């Protein structure tokens, strides 16, 4: 599968974000470089990193040495909360480490510790976007009410909110609230809170000749929720990408949704 064939979701500014990405949390040093290279070789074209992860240089080197064209990639990085007030310095450091002149998505990694800092920080991200340092900007680990504060203050909606998400954490109201505001929901740690031995997941997996983990990823995709599984094992990296050969029925989606709260 080429990047052109991958399912994407539109963001503001004529940006398209692949629904399946590769997460790199805790993938550092040589292992991080090898994992990103393996992901790009497997077909991933969306790579998620963060200043906090300490691996932007390895991600950049893997991208550079993969032979994949930069314009075919979607790269996300994130601003850590302790960098409030140093936003421009931080994105410039990220771009140097990643060896690129822009990222496709820049997120506030966590809401700043001081609530009043959130809006000025958000304005700095918007400025970086307007200068072309990021094609789109958004947030991570924000509540709906915290997103509303940003929208009310700036009339600018975060393109994405990246939060912990899985079938077990499924909340229809949270999902709908993001959709109603035009915020793309992006889930991380899809397996950490999933019971992959759950009878619902194993039954649906068997019906599609897939693994329960692949069903969890496909459930995100069929909900148009971006998902970023992480692994440093080449076989698992490839298996997590092999989810485009099937889709879930409406009944299967409802059964999986029911695993949530």
């Amino acid at each position: 599968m080429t990047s052109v064939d991958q399912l994407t979701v539109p963001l503001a500014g004529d940006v398209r974000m692949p629904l399946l990405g590769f997460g790199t949390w805790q993938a550092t040093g040589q292992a991080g470089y090898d994992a990103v290279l393996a992901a790009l070789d497997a077909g991933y074209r969306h790579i998620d990193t963060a200043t906090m992860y300490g691996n932007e240089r390895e991600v950049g080197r893997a991208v550079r040495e993969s032979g994949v064209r930069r314009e075919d990639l979607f790269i996300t990085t994130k601003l850590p909360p302790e960098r409030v007030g140093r936003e421009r310095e931080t994105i410039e450091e990220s771009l140097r480490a990643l060896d690129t002149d822009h990222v496709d998505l820049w997120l506030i990694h966590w809401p700043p510790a001081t609530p009043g800092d959130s809006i000025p920080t958000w304005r700095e991200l918007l400025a970086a976007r307007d200068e072309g340092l990021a094609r789109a900007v958004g947030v991570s680990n924000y509540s709906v009410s915290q997103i509303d504060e940003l929208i009310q203050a700036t009339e600018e909606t975060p393109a994405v909110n990246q939060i912990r998400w899985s079938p077990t954490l499924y909340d229809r109201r949270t999902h709908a609230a993001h959709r109603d505001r035009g915020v793309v929901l992006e889930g991380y740690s899809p397996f950490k809170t999933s019971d992959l031995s759950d009878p619902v997941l194993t039954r649906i997996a068997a019906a599609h000749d897939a693994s329960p983990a692949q069903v969890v990823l496909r459930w995100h995709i069929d909900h148009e929720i971006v998902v970023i599984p992480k692994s440093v094992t080449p076989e698992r990296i490839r298996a997590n990408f092999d989810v485009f050969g099937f889709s879930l029925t409406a009944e299967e989606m409802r059964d999986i949704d029911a695993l949530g709260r």
Side-chain angles (χ1 to χ4, degrees):
M1 167 168 292
T2 68
S3 57
V4 175
D5 299 322
Q6 291 182 38
L7 300 174
T8 61
V9 63
L11 307 182
D14 198 29
V15 178
R16 298 203 70 89
M17 182 179 191
L19 280 162
L20 178 63
F22 183 68
T24 65
W25 180 54
Q26 295 181 319
T28 57
Q30 185 66 34
Y33 164 80
D34 290 342
V36 174
L37 206 56
L40 293 169
D41 183 63
Y44 292 84
R45 293 297 179 261
H46 167 190
I47 307 294
D48 180 273
T49 183
T51 296
M52 190 182 289
Y53 298 169
N55 62 9
E56 289 173 318
R57 199 163 300 282
E58 288 84 356
V59 170
R61 183 161 69 95
V63 165
R64 188 169 62 250
E65 296 178 6
S66 70
V68 178
R69 298 185 310 167
R70 175 64 184 90
E71 56 265 36
D72 291 335
L73 291 172
F74 189 100
I75 299 174
T76 299
T77 194
K78 310 180 195 78
L79 173 86
E82 67 271 16
R83 292 294 190 102
V84 165
R86 299 162 61 196
E87 295 86 359
R88 179 61 183 252
E89 174 190 342
T90 302
I91 188 63
E92 289 178 350
E93 287 175 2
S94 289
L95 295 178
R96 281 195 297 272
L98 290 164
D99 193 22
T100 184
D101 63 0
H102 72 279
V103 289
D104 299 281
L105 180 63
W106 193 28
L107 305 177
I108 303 173
H109 204 152
W110 291 89
T114 304
D117 287 342
S118 202
I119 291 165
T121 299
W122 177 234
R123 291 189 192 279
E124 289 296 324
L125 264 73
L126 294 171
R129 181 202 63 191
D130 292 345
E131 290 178 47
L133 303 180
R135 295 176 69 214
V137 290
V139 296
S140 181
N141 300 299
Y142 269 59
S143 67
V144 172
S145 63
Q146 288 170 325
I147 289 172
D148 284 342
E149 286 177 17
L150 301 184
I151 297 171
Q152 287 160 11
T154 64
E155 296 186 350
E156 290 268 16
T157 301
V160 170
N161 185 23
Q162 185 184 114
I163 60 176
R164 199 167 65 143
W165 197 257
S166 71
T168 308
L169 298 176
Y170 182 70
D171 185 303
R172 189 179 308 279
R173 288 171 299 180
T174 299
H175 187 195
H178 283 77
R179 191 170 53 239
D180 291 347
R181 288 159 177 76
V183 179
V184 170
L185 192 58
E186 178 176 13
Y188 66 81
S189 297
F191 307 135
K192 188 167 284 188
T193 55
S194 292
D195 177 5
L196 296 179
S197 63
D198 186 284
V200 171
L201 295 179
T202 56
R203 167 176 57 80
I204 293 171
H208 293 282
D209 194 23
S211 71
Q214 289 170 324
V215 167
V216 167
L217 297 177
R218 188 69 215 195
W219 170 82
H220 283 76
I221 291 167
D222 285 347
H223 264 313
E224 293 197 327
I225 294 170
V226 178
V227 63
I228 46 171
K230 67 183 184 67
S231 177
V232 294
T233 308
E235 296 77 15
R236 189 162 295 168
I237 289 170
R238 287 192 294 271
N240 288 342
F241 187 75
D242 187 19
V243 293
F244 295 100
F246 71 100
S247 59
L248 302 175
T249 67
E251 182 180 6
E252 289 169 340
M253 292 289 286
R254 285 194 295 271
D255 289 347
I256 299 172
D257 290 353
L259 298 176
R261 295 172 292 186

